[in-house]
Amino acid sequence: MGSKTALYEKHQEMGAKLVDFGGWDMPIHYGSQVDEHHQVRTASGMFDVSHMTVVDVTGTDAKEYLRYLLANDVVKLQEKGKALYSGMLNDNGGVIDDLIVYLMTEPGVSGEWFRIVVNCATREKDLRWMADHTAGFDDVALTEQPDLAMIAIQGPKAIELSKQTVGESRAKLIDQLSVFQGLESEGWFIARTGYTGEDGLEIMLPEDEAAKFWQALSDNGVKPCGLGARDTLRLEAGMNLYGSDMDETISPLAANMGWTIAWEPEDRKFIGREALEAQKASGVTDKLVGLVMESRGVLRAHQKVIVDGVGEGEITSGSFSPTLGFSVAMARVPAATGEQADVEIRGKRVPVRVLRPSFVRNGKKVFD
Amino acid sequence: MSNIPSELKYVASHEWIRVEGDGIVTIGVTDHAQDLLGDVVFVELPEVGAELAGGDEAGVVESVKAASDVYAPLSGEIVAINEELEDSPELVNSDPYGDGWFFKIKLSDTEELNDLLDAEGYTGLCESEA
């Protein structure tokens, strides 16, 4: 048996099919992954994401430390609670993990600190890497928060139904949140972030309050959803999955993460910078693209992508898209790939369209 | 646990067989199989008129999770396919022994029916795989 979140008994009660996920017993679905997917696109669904790792970064050098640790620049966080998506790179420019960092105080104040959320499967290596790189900074403390549960409530009705569930003062705080901002309220951290391409919240709260809140959300009409739907939702939204779409051997430049690299200011030294600059100078050979196949069949990870006259690539994530009714995928292909390719599916070559990896946002198809 | 009707026959590759008389059998996948597959999104079936030997690949079921081959459990000619599955593949999940049937075979050798598992035998097989 794996580790259990504070919501484990709720999952059993609500009929979840539980599977091992990075050492945790997590719900893959509560009956139908496809129904749960539609629920999030059209109304609201909730996910237990308590398995994710939360690390608070404090100390007078916290900001300078993160400016060195991360490829994106936390100096961009100019409002309390604002969030930034970044890669944490190794010296070769490979992606150790992707993460969200929140500024937990007003910017620049004394006592300024940050909260980082990293993936669960990468927890140990991330914590080790982060700890190892505090050397050279006089005052940085890393504090994991394993006693926080995390619930993501996502979908067009997610915010409204969450507000009905959390009580007056927290509802007021939710009203104030801009997109990609999180704030504390009476021991809870409420953020307008997510991994589905819909509006919604991610709420961190003490473990002993999680089951009651989950039940209250359910009573107000928010449907429990498993990690299966979370995966098809994020794929439609064109969001990378660590370990599938990128890893330590892949540059963010070949993983559609170029926008997360803060090149300016030029004198900011961050881990991986030299390697990335060398890659840029010599030319990046691969890119991460979206694939669309409107004929029958399903694109799946590791299928071979053939680009006539150019070369070959591989699907990194693929699935049936419940919103679109056909299959979409992300694939790493040669940089010279144009708008057409073939995918080898069960021994047959099937033509696919190549486009930017973003398929559905806010319930709507986003490509022509 | 999954539903395993006692009046049907089974094979280890998780297809069920209903004997309809006149040497015709109906084939589908079991409740246990659909549960393992998760939501079914496409079903590829053989052509009517195709002659298949027992154990031949007869089609593919694609779920959100994986693609799985479907086998003809018995030898004979495909005399009907469930065209409903083209637009409503979810019938495989919601009604695996009814509206979610796959195809019908006119048997070339009814003796082959003796090699099939009964419900008890199939139950034991599912338990041993769990």
Side-chain angles (χ1 to χ4, degrees), chain A residues 28-157:
Chain A
I28 185 81
H29 62 69
Y30 298 79
S32 164
Q33 174 179 335
V34 170
D35 288 352
E36 290 161 21
H37 180 109
H38 290 312
Q39 183 69 31
V40 172
R41 285 275 180 255
T42 58
S44 71
M46 58 183 173
F47 303 84
D48 179 10
V49 287
S50 307
H51 59 307
M52 296 195 74
T53 304
V54 180
V55 183
D56 289 344
V57 185
T58 55
T60 52
D61 292 327
K63 182 196 280 176
E64 284 313 308
Y65 164 72
L66 290 174
R67 295 191 74 200
Y68 173 64
L69 186 77
L70 304 179
N72 213 335
D73 189 350
V74 293
V75 162
K76 291 181 188 169
L77 299 172
Q78 281 299 321
E79 191 185 347
K80 184 179 179 184
K82 269 290 177 185
L84 189 72
Y85 175 70
S86 181
M88 179 164 74
L89 311 181
N90 60 28
D91 293 323
N92 302 324
V95 184
I96 293 172
D97 203 1
D98 64 336
L99 54 84
I100 299 276
V101 54
Y102 297 93
L103 171 64
M104 298 297 282
T105 57
E106 295 293 341
V109 296
S110 138
E112 182 179 36
W113 65 284
F114 301 84
R115 171 166 284 175
I116 292 183
V117 181
V118 301
N119 284 299
C120 106
T122 49
R123 174 181 168 275
E124 278 172 41
K125 71 163 186 175
D126 287 1
L127 293 177
R128 201 180 324 120
W129 181 266
M130 289 168 74
D132 285 351
H133 289 84
T134 56
F137 295 91
D138 291 332
D139 183 19
V140 180
L142 304 172
T143 312
E144 196 187 352
Q145 302 290 351
D147 299 332
L148 286 177
M150 191 172 351
I151 298 172
I153 307 122
Q154 302 278 301
K157 291 194 174 158

Side-chain angles (χ1 to χ4, degrees), chain A residues 247-316:
Chain A
D247 59 32
E248 288 185 28
T249 67
I250 303 293
S251 162
L253 297 169
N256 198 33
M257 288 173 68
W259 62 279
T260 70
I261 302 163
W263 301 99
E264 305 286 337
E266 272 174 46
D267 61 355
R268 181 177 70 105
K269 199 173 162 235
F270 64 85
I271 304 169
R273 177 168 197 139
E274 281 177 24
L276 293 183
E277 282 174 347
Q279 289 168 16
K280 238 171 89 165
S282 64
V284 181
T285 55
D286 295 323
K287 61 180 179 182
L288 190 70
V289 296
L291 304 180
V292 169
M293 181 177 75
E294 297 195 25
S295 55
R296 293 166 65 85
V298 181
L299 302 169
R300 302 199 188 267
H302 309 303
Q303 286 169 347
K304 192 198 283 183
V305 182
I306 303 154
V307 190
D308 278 330
V310 175
E312 290 183 353
E314 188 180 272
I315 291 181
T316 54

Side-chain angles (χ1 to χ4, degrees), chain B residues 36-129:
Chain B
L36 289 179
L37 285 164
D39 293 270
V40 172
V41 294
F42 291 112
V43 181
E44 205 179 296
L45 294 174
E47 306 263 323
V48 171
E51 292 278 352
L52 296 175
D56 280 359
E57 276 181 31
V60 180
V61 184
E62 296 248 20
S63 71
V64 282
K65 212 160 75 182
S68 307
D69 292 315
V70 176
Y71 298 95
L74 300 160
S75 309
E77 182 192 344
I78 303 292
V79 291
I81 58 170
N82 184 359
E83 285 169 3
E84 292 284 309
L85 295 183
E86 177 139 1
D87 290 330
S88 305
E90 67 278 5
L91 292 172
V92 176
N93 297 114
S94 60
D95 193 8
Y97 299 114
D99 291 343
W101 66 279
F102 279 23
F103 50 85
K104 294 178 193 281
I105 299 180
K106 171 95 181 157
L107 299 180
S108 53
D109 178 8
T110 52
E111 289 289 305
E112 286 182 4
L113 287 169
N114 300 329
D115 302 333
L116 302 175
L117 296 168
D118 60 11
E120 199 182 327
Y122 181 65
T123 304
L125 183 99
C126 291
E127 280 166 3
S128 72
E129 282 184 359

